[in-house]
Amino acid sequence: MDTTDEATDEAQDEAGHARPVRPEDQDPRRWRGSGWTARVIKNEDDDGWAVEMTCDGQSEPSLVGPWTMGRDKKNPKPLDASAFATLVKTANEVLARHVQQRRALLHRNVTVAVEGGARVRVDLDVVPDEDDPHAILTVHDAAGEVVSRSRVPADFKLTTETARRWLQGGAAAS
């Protein structure tokens, strides 16, 4: 097995500085590097094995999935550089999708035609503050410049019609 990938990967030391991952940091059931720890665990749902990917600094895994049995059909297949690289890529993609989904839940925009035929974009950004949940409505002109910004309730439903009514009500002038 080629260990050059292992030696050039980076991990964090106790002070948070990047350092090369050493082969002694890896074992058949636990690998660390690239900001992640992969750990092969017993699958509690059946007789097989699972692998969990935990981002450095987090207490809970970001990804848990099935893991392949070894040749003896009792023990798990050992982790290796190729499998770890694939797991890191998958875990990063899962986190990116979560960020994208969260943004989609907290951000909406519509384009509205206003008097004179000009088009403006109205953005709604929800601020999920536990003590003071609210949203910010921002109007952008055709060039993308901010025309106005106003605070609205967090449950404001942004549609083309509600944006048009909001703009006609003079709220955009605030």
Side-chain angles (χ1 to χ4, degrees):
M1 177 174 90
D2 181 16
T3 60
T4 53
D5 288 338
E6 297 167 26
T8 59
D9 198 359
E10 290 187 352
Q12 301 290 323
D13 63 14
E14 291 77 22
H17 298 97
R19 65 163 177 76
V21 171
R22 299 178 306 255
E24 61 268 22
D25 288 342
Q26 317 306 353
D27 69 48
R29 291 194 188 178
R30 185 175 158 278
W31 272 58
R32 293 183 63 156
S34 301
W36 292 93
T37 299
R39 198 167 64 99
V40 177
I41 57 173
K42 186 75 176 140
N43 187 343
E44 297 179 16
D45 295 337
D46 64 21
D47 294 334
W49 296 88
V51 63
E52 64 180 20
M53 292 295 292
T54 306
C55 189
D56 288 351
Q58 300 296 316
S59 59
E60 295 293 320
S62 300
L63 175 70
V64 178
W67 189 245
T68 308
M69 292 284 232
R71 290 184 183 183
D72 65 3
K73 302 298 181 206
K74 285 190 222 172
N75 294 307
K77 177 181 168 188
L79 284 165
D80 60 24
S82 176
F84 183 72
T86 300
L87 288 166
V88 167
K89 181 180 178 195
T90 303
N92 282 326
E93 289 170 354
V94 165
L95 285 186
R97 281 194 302 271
H98 284 207
V99 167
Q100 184 179 21
Q101 181 182 18
R102 177 128 172 103
R103 173 147 171 78
L105 289 172
L106 300 176
H107 178 80
R108 299 262 192 268
N109 68 58
V110 296
T111 302
V112 180
V114 292
E115 287 183 33
R119 300 182 72 70
V120 295
R121 187 182 83 227
V122 180
D123 293 346
L124 174 72
D125 290 294
V126 177
V127 180
D129 187 318
E130 286 184 27
D131 298 325
D132 183 22
H134 61 280
I136 303 295
L137 270 181
T138 307
V139 179
H140 301 269
D141 63 14
E145 297 294 320
V146 174
V147 175
S148 68
R149 183 172 278 135
S150 296
R151 182 182 169 123
V152 295
D155 62 352
F156 185 89
K157 301 292 184 220
L158 181 64
T159 64
T160 304
E161 189 52 39
T162 59
R164 185 176 288 113
R165 283 196 311 258
W166 182 75
L167 288 166
Q168 290 171 346
S174 59

